[in-house]
Amino acid sequence: MSTFSLDPGPDQLAVRDWLHGFAADVMRPAAAEWDEREETPWPVIQEAAKLGIYSLDFYAQQFFDPSGVGIPIAMEELFWGDAGLGLAITGTTLAAVAVLANGTDEQIGTWAPQMFGTPEDVKLAAFCSSEPDAGSDVSALRTRAVYDEAKDEWVINGTKTWATNGGIAHVHVVVATVDPELGARGQASFVVPPGTPGLSQGQKFKKHGIRASHTAEVVLDGVRVPGSCLLGGKEKLDERLARAREGARKSGKNAAMATFEASRPAVGAQAIGIARAAYEVALDYARTRVQFGRPIIDNQGVAFQLADMKTRIDAARLLVWRASWMAATNQPFTSAEGSMSKLYAGETAKYVTSQAMQLLGGNGYTREYPVERMHRDSAIYTIFEGTSEIQRLVIARAISGMPIR
Ligand SMILES: Cc1cc2nc3c(=O)[nH]c(=O)nc-3n(C[C@H](O)[C@H](O)[C@H](O)COP(=O)(O)OP(=O)(O)OC[C@H]3O[C@@H](n4cnc5c(N)ncnc54)[C@H](O)[C@@H]3O)c2cc1C
């Protein structure tokens, strides 16, 4: 029986303090500028790479931390620094997790290092699942991968949308259907190596928040990748497809869903970082802002708002840590605890940043203070990695055992 401890231990605390320093000294001073520029903050990513924060080694160490809280602690600190820059620094991990979750040891060894590059030559990776007509409904993907047996190559055609780092990434991981009749069970993930002809960036989106993170369409026009780029390999895919065609009960993991499940608590931790940052600004402001001859925090109405903000942040963190610990110790997610943690943390970030803006009055509404940016940044946390409604659907199905629609 594995024990559950809320003491992260000295190693994780040291990582937390180290990242906190980077977040405070490098990210925060740069946050407003890159939010306005809406460009990939290469100098910040390069600085993170130089320090070993943007590196496969660092994420692998946190990912394999046996307590499970390595990744949530890292995410919370970086996103406390700034969410747009945080996503620019961590966006690659979504593609890396897809390779880790679905790839063979050889594929992991080949592709994971290339996704990060080196401190001298930093690279990014992108995970491309969503499509214009397949967002929440991942079973509706139209991007098609067809096997060319004579050449042992897969030919991929389709249009992906909303891809973080899409088009500017060195390595793209693309989820495509290999048998449209099988829906989600007929899908597979492919690595598209750097410089592969036929892959291009479509529209780059102008966004409400997390504007330092690049989000774009990715067009795949006759993209040919070697057979070795099918994550997990052809034999495993053929077995999985045969089982699905026989109508066997769902046994294997759906490629895209497996990736989302593994990353949900980590995304919740990012939301907590934003919420904590906004709460701290609001607490500080409420203590020092004087109206009616006393600090505004002297009013119960204001102090109680802060009490609720702090309570929700701590509750969200407990859910995220529990889910991360469950994942690390292979506990079954019988009540969709991973989705629960992302749902609650995302909603908390939106709530706390909105309350923080209110507490700062007119100042909260301007770009002179960071809560306006934090409020914009928080909004994505009820949308990506499964909307709040989809998290509720997953939880409802898990607790009821019913095919709730
Ligand atoms: C900034 C950003 C970055 C992203 N990064 C990536 C990435 O790197 N890779 C990637 O593959 N994708 C990425 N996404 C895509 C993201 O995961 C999708 O936007 C998300 O899954 C929602 O899909 P959709 O936008 O098509 O909305 P829709 O699925 O069209 O949903 C619209 C609304 O309908 C609701 N809804 C839909 N179905 C149901 C239902 N059954 N019950 C109740 N409500 C429902 C939704 O909750 C939502 O409120 C990103 C998106 C954004 C905005």
Side-chain angles (χ1 to χ4, degrees), residues 127 129-130 135-136 162 164 207 210 380 383-385 387 389:
F127 177 69
S129 172
S130 302
S136 299
W162 308 124
T164 300
K207 304 194 298 294
I210 52 161
I380 192 63
I383 297 173
F384 70 4
E385 284 284 313
T387 64
E389 292 73 29

Side-chain angles (χ1 to χ4, degrees), residues 295-314:
I296 57 169
I297 199 169
D298 267 12
N299 300 291
Q300 250 188 23
V302 171
F304 281 14
Q305 273 185 47
L306 286 157
D308 281 348
M309 289 155 79
K310 171 74 172 145
T311 303
R312 291 201 200 185
I313 291 167
D314 283 13

Side-chain angles (χ1 to χ4, degrees), residues 268-313:
Q270 298 174 359
I272 294 168
I274 303 172
R276 194 182 105 213
Y279 158 76
E280 288 173 3
V281 175
L283 177 63
D284 195 44
Y285 194 87
R287 280 190 180 129
T288 50
R289 171 71 177 165
V290 173
Q291 285 295 277
F292 301 99
R294 58 180 199 265
I296 57 169
I297 199 169
D298 267 12
N299 300 291
Q300 250 188 23
V302 171
F304 281 14
Q305 273 185 47
L306 286 157
D308 281 348
M309 289 155 79
K310 171 74 172 145
T311 303
R312 291 201 200 185
I313 291 167

Side-chain angles (χ1 to χ4, degrees), residues 114-200:
Q114 292 196 46
M115 291 179 163
F116 290 88
T118 63
E120 295 73 40
D121 187 15
V122 167
K123 304 291 187 202
L124 301 173
F127 177 69
C128 311
S129 172
S130 302
E131 295 181 3
D133 293 323
S136 299
D137 182 6
V138 288
S139 68
L141 297 187
R142 287 201 195 142
T143 295
R144 187 76 208 268
V146 176
Y147 189 52
D148 177 347
E149 198 157 1
K151 293 188 174 159
D152 183 28
E153 284 178 348
W154 287 89
V155 187
I156 310 173
N157 281 291
T159 300
K160 293 293 177 181
T161 193
W162 308 124
T164 300
N165 297 337
I168 61 167
H170 194 55
V171 177
H172 291 76
V173 175
V174 171
V175 185
T177 178
V178 291
D179 185 341
E181 282 178 17
L182 296 176
R185 303 180 73 191
Q187 294 170 0
S189 297
F190 299 86
V191 169
V192 180
T196 303
L199 185 150
S200 60

Side-chain angles (χ1 to χ4, degrees), residues 330-376:
N330 290 316
Q331 313 283 323
F333 285 87
T334 47
S335 302
E337 289 87 347
S339 298
M340 253 186 219
S341 73
K342 194 272 176 177
L343 167 65
Y344 194 73
E347 298 282 334
T348 295
K350 255 176 108 170
Y351 163 80
V352 169
T353 54
S354 155
Q355 293 293 90
M357 267 177 81
Q358 188 65 21
L359 279 178
L360 265 70
N363 281 331
Y365 198 65
T366 70
R367 297 196 181 178
E368 297 297 309
Y369 284 78
V371 292
E372 179 271 343
R373 186 179 69 250
M374 292 166 185
H375 184 250
R376 284 188 284 108

Side-chain angles (χ1 to χ4, degrees), residues 199-321:
L199 185 150
S200 60
Q201 183 186 307
Q203 179 192 2
K204 177 187 168 186
F205 295 103
K206 288 178 81 68
K207 304 194 298 294
H208 178 63
I210 52 161
R211 299 197 301 184
S213 168
H214 171 103
T215 316
E217 289 175 337
V218 172
V219 180
L220 301 139
D221 182 11
V223 168
R224 283 185 164 267
V225 299
S228 59
C229 286
L230 164 66
L231 288 176
K234 182 108 180 10
E235 206 176 308
K236 218 168 135 193
L237 172 69
D238 287 343
E239 280 170 23
R240 186 155 61 80
L241 293 178
R243 277 201 307 272
R245 285 186 194 117
E246 281 164 15
R249 273 179 60 79
K250 215 173 192 165
S251 52
K253 294 177 287 185
N254 164 283
M257 288 309 285
T259 304
F260 286 134
E261 264 316 308
S263 51
R264 267 175 193 161
V267 176
Q270 298 174 359
I272 294 168
I274 303 172
R276 194 182 105 213
Y279 158 76
E280 288 173 3
V281 175
L283 177 63
D284 195 44
Y285 194 87
R287 280 190 180 129
T288 50
R289 171 71 177 165
V290 173
Q291 285 295 277
F292 301 99
R294 58 180 199 265
I296 57 169
I297 199 169
D298 267 12
N299 300 291
Q300 250 188 23
V302 171
F304 281 14
Q305 273 185 47
L306 286 157
D308 281 348
M309 289 155 79
K310 171 74 172 145
T311 303
R312 291 201 200 185
I313 291 167
D314 283 13
R317 187 182 298 107
L318 286 172
L319 285 174
V320 163
W321 282 25

